[in-house]
Amino acid sequence: MCGIIGYIGSRPARNIIINGLKRLEYRGYDSAGMVLVNGETKIFKCKGRVKDLEEIVNKSNFDGTIGMGHTRWATHGEPNELNAHPQISYKGNFVVVHNGIIENYSLLKKHLQSRGVVFASETDTEVLANLIEHLYIEGDLTAEQAITLALNRVQGAYGLGIICTKEPDKIFAAKRGSPLVIGVGDGENFIASDATPIVEYTQKVVYMNDDDIAILKKDQIIFKTLKNELIEPDIKELDLKIGEIDKEGFAHFMLKEIFEQPRAIHDTFRGRVLPDRSGIMLGGLHDVLDTMSQAERIIIVACGTSWHAGLLGEYIFEEYTRIPVEVEYASEFRYRNPIIRKGDIVIAISQSGETADTLAAVKLAREKGAKVIGICNVVGSSIPRETDAGVYTHAGPEIGVASTKAFTSQVTVLAMMAFEIGHLKGIISDLFYKELITELVSIPSKIEKALKVNEQALALAKMFENTHNALYLGRGYLFPVALEGALKLKEISYIHAEGYPAAEMKHGPIALIDDNMPVVVVATKDDTYEKIINNIQEIKARKGKVIAIVTEGDEIIRKMADYVLEVPETMTVFSGLLAVIPLQLLSYHIAVLRGCNVDQPRNLAKSVTVE
Ligand code: G6P
């Protein structure tokens, strides 16, 4: 939920920290702060965005060669300067930036207060800073000893950067539950919540493991466990280019990412579809494919947009593999003692690979003996490391908080999985397998065509920018797409929107329809086409304004609907990949017209690493 960055080296740290925070701002943006060390230690904090922090820092001439920064999404304590990070311990010896939640903070706080420690903020992070300080002073310990001891006492999740002002040639980093990456440079080293702020300085990274601590100096990094055992780091080479995390001329990351989808989908199947299109090979599933094909049941766990991709996965899997599928919100699944039988497969879907509830659901499923497969975008993130096997989506970094290309690439992976299993089980014939693959390969160019509705979507957005409510309807494969369209609108434009199965409209939402109510009907040609035509008529009979997403050349719906946005024709299984494009564009333009912060909508964060 928060983003942290740290630098230790010989260069001025200030701009490295500010630029790093800008890249991490998608993780949280209600307050920001930084510390710079250069003989003395200076802290800058503010409520608001990184640009507000930048203004404050720029008023000072101070710089340092060591620094840490933090961009916050508040959990404990309202967003204000006092609660912003870094948090400083009561004697000022420890400066802490933290992503996560210290769950037993209240007990620890009471204990420290009973020993006379006074607190300045409402944060759980200050409790940790003060615990370290207390142990440091009372136990006459080194900074490393005090930090290790404190971390052995806290419960909860953390990605941490800590500076001890008495040992100012080090940054301490520690991880449990929240992500933390160490960037290994030449005479300089970095810490960050993800690799995006590091990539312009070094391609060498270490993804920290839970309960590990790293002690960074400018030309040395020591990795240890919390039990004080030395660890040999697994240094990985990043496959990330700086251009991938820039807007590249687009007004917003979201728009860039919408337009990137042809490339993203292509990258998702590239190297996995055999050159003669006779088969699909998902390397990450090699050892589990047989087990998957014999599964009694598949349970998909995810949150947010990834959950919508999972719901679409249910339709695809049941049709092509004939394995029963249940789709669960990870947050519900993890807390209700779910029944997991031998032979069940759990598929966890997560763009970030860090969503706390999905990660916890993965751990629970494994404890209960299920084989867990991950579908994630961020390489080296926590979920892929906790699963038995998995497939990366390879969509490239998704920075816009509202997920777009992650959704289409997740659906692409689910389809590929289902086709491979269905073929293995003999449910999909060789011929049909080839037809499916051929169509899959054509999807990027069809998305390219679907993107041509951009101007029309803008024109429609101008008509509907002031609406207060919207209804999104779809049937079959297009029902999850309707849910996703509604989510896109509400999360970035703050317009209330509901997604519904079109036929269910009669059991409630139809009461909302009047001549002010835009109803977006996802009605491309598939098996449910005739039925959805009836639904459109029902809406028109109540004077609702119908915006229909249709297959190109559809004259029937064009005559009935008030407005249409066309997408190319495809097989039903891929219909969602095309139909979602106009919905993404429509919500994008409405949000821009309403003056909303599209890439960083209020109250939301890209990666929800707290439950
Ligand atoms: C947040 C993001 C959504 C995302 C969801 C799940 O709510 O704002 O865009 O769909 O988390 O994230 P994940 O990384 O697990 O896919």
Side-chain angles (χ1 to χ4, degrees), residues 173-381:
K175 172 192 178 324
R176 182 190 294 161
S178 301
L180 203 62
V181 186
I182 306 288
V184 184
D186 192 6
E188 56 185 6
N189 293 307
F190 304 80
I191 63 170
S193 297
D194 70 34
T196 54
I198 294 178
V199 62
E200 60 189 287
Y201 307 107
T202 177
Q203 292 282 323
K204 287 198 192 111
V205 294
V206 177
Y207 295 100
M208 284 188 75
N209 290 316
D210 279 354
D211 293 327
D212 285 355
I213 173 164
I215 302 123
L216 288 83
K217 292 186 172 180
K218 67 178 184 177
D219 40 24
Q220 183 195 31
I221 312 175
I222 297 168
F223 291 88
K224 288 184 171 179
T225 66
L226 282 185
K227 292 188 185 129
N228 204 26
E229 301 146 337
L230 280 173
I231 315 167
E232 200 50 53
D234 177 12
I235 300 179
K236 294 217 154 49
E237 201 66 35
L238 276 178
D239 185 19
L240 186 64
K241 287 170 206 68
I242 191 73
E244 291 178 332
I245 48 174
D246 280 339
K247 285 192 208 138
E248 291 175 341
F250 284 92
H252 297 95
F253 278 111
M254 182 182 178
L255 191 62
K256 177 193 168 208
E257 287 156 9
I258 291 173
F259 273 85
E260 259 175 4
Q261 287 174 107
R263 202 252 331 125
I265 303 291
H266 189 258
D267 285 350
T268 304
F269 65 68
R270 193 158 50 106
R272 290 162 166 170
V273 166
L274 299 182
D276 64 356
R277 297 178 186 178
S278 62
I280 291 169
M281 293 258 291
L282 296 169
L285 298 187
H286 186 265
D287 296 338
V288 294
L289 205 67
D290 278 332
T291 318
M292 283 182 85
S293 64
Q294 285 153 29
E296 302 273 319
R297 185 173 61 142
I298 291 175
I299 303 166
I300 297 178
V301 291
C303 302
T305 288
S306 298
W307 188 88
H308 294 155
L311 196 59
L312 200 42
E314 176 180 10
Y315 287 79
I316 302 173
F317 261 84
E318 292 204 339
E319 180 162 352
Y320 291 97
T321 70
R322 305 308 295 152
I323 301 170
V325 178
E326 283 166 33
V327 189
E328 300 256 12
Y329 289 110
S331 53
E332 289 297 313
F333 177 84
R334 63 179 287 203
Y335 283 119
R336 63 168 178 75
N337 194 12
I339 297 167
I340 296 178
R341 292 181 294 253
K342 212 171 171 304
D344 284 346
I345 294 279
V346 171
I347 300 178
I349 309 176
S350 173
Q351 186 286 128
S352 61
E354 300 292 350
T355 300
D357 284 321
T358 312
L359 183 58
V362 165
K363 289 181 179 163
L364 177 72
R366 287 192 81 189
E367 268 163 39
K368 286 180 174 271
K371 249 214 187 335
V372 184
I373 315 298
I375 299 179
C376 296
N377 193 37
V378 178
V379 176
S381 54

Side-chain angles (χ1 to χ4, degrees), residues 367-597:
E367 268 163 39
K368 286 180 174 271
K371 249 214 187 335
V372 184
I373 315 298
I375 299 179
C376 296
N377 193 37
V378 178
V379 176
S381 54
S382 299
I383 292 173
R385 289 187 287 149
E386 290 288 341
T387 45
D388 296 289
V391 180
Y392 282 117
T393 45
H394 294 315
E398 192 181 62
I399 312 279
V401 165
S403 188
T404 51
K405 63 176 179 172
F407 173 77
T408 42
S409 63
Q410 287 162 347
V411 174
T412 303
V413 168
L414 286 159
M416 287 196 292
M417 273 186 183
F419 299 161
E420 212 183 337
I421 293 170
H423 184 242
L424 190 71
K425 289 180 81 171
I427 295 165
I428 298 175
S429 67
D430 289 350
L431 191 65
F432 187 42
Y433 192 37
K434 211 166 174 170
E435 269 174 47
L436 287 166
I437 295 170
T438 306
E439 185 61 15
L440 170 65
V441 172
S442 77
I443 292 297
S445 63
K446 291 191 175 179
I447 294 183
E448 205 77 68
K449 271 184 108 180
L451 286 164
K452 298 223 156 47
V453 299
N454 190 33
E455 286 302 312
Q456 275 172 278
L458 172 60
L460 271 180
K462 287 180 181 158
M463 290 181 221
F464 290 102
E465 65 171 296
N466 293 319
T467 191
H468 296 297
N469 295 291
L471 193 57
Y472 283 69
L473 303 175
R475 299 181 78 117
Y477 281 81
L478 300 172
F479 161 53
V481 178
L483 290 179
E484 176 58 11
L487 177 63
K488 286 290 88 75
L489 188 68
K490 72 184 128 194
E491 63 186 343
I492 59 170
S493 71
Y494 319 140
I495 293 171
H496 170 242
E498 272 190 69
Y500 245 79
E504 272 293 305
M505 170 184 72
K506 290 195 278 298
H507 302 287
I510 200 163
L512 299 169
I513 295 176
D514 59 19
D515 53 1
N516 285 320
M517 178 74 154
V519 185
V520 180
V521 187
V522 194
T524 53
K525 280 192 182 141
D526 66 7
D527 307 342
T528 60
Y529 178 70
E530 299 297 331
K531 303 275 173 210
I532 207 142
I533 286 181
N534 296 338
N535 298 132
I536 293 175
Q537 275 161 343
E538 287 156 6
I539 303 160
K540 285 314 301 168
R542 280 141 191 103
K543 300 196 166 45
K545 291 268 174 301
V546 172
I547 303 164
I549 312 303
V550 299
T551 303
E552 90 202 323
D554 183 334
E555 291 307 321
I556 301 173
I557 296 186
R558 184 176 286 278
K559 285 194 192 108
M560 277 182 231
D562 296 270
Y563 311 97
V564 295
L565 294 171
E566 289 189 343
V567 296
E569 190 165 4
T570 185
M571 294 162 100
T572 301
V573 61
F574 299 117
S575 55
L577 294 177
L578 303 185
V580 78
I581 304 291
L583 304 185
Q584 294 169 343
L585 288 168
L586 187 62
S587 41
Y588 169 77
H589 288 300
I590 291 179
V592 172
L593 290 169
R594 287 165 70 89
C596 299
N597 186 339

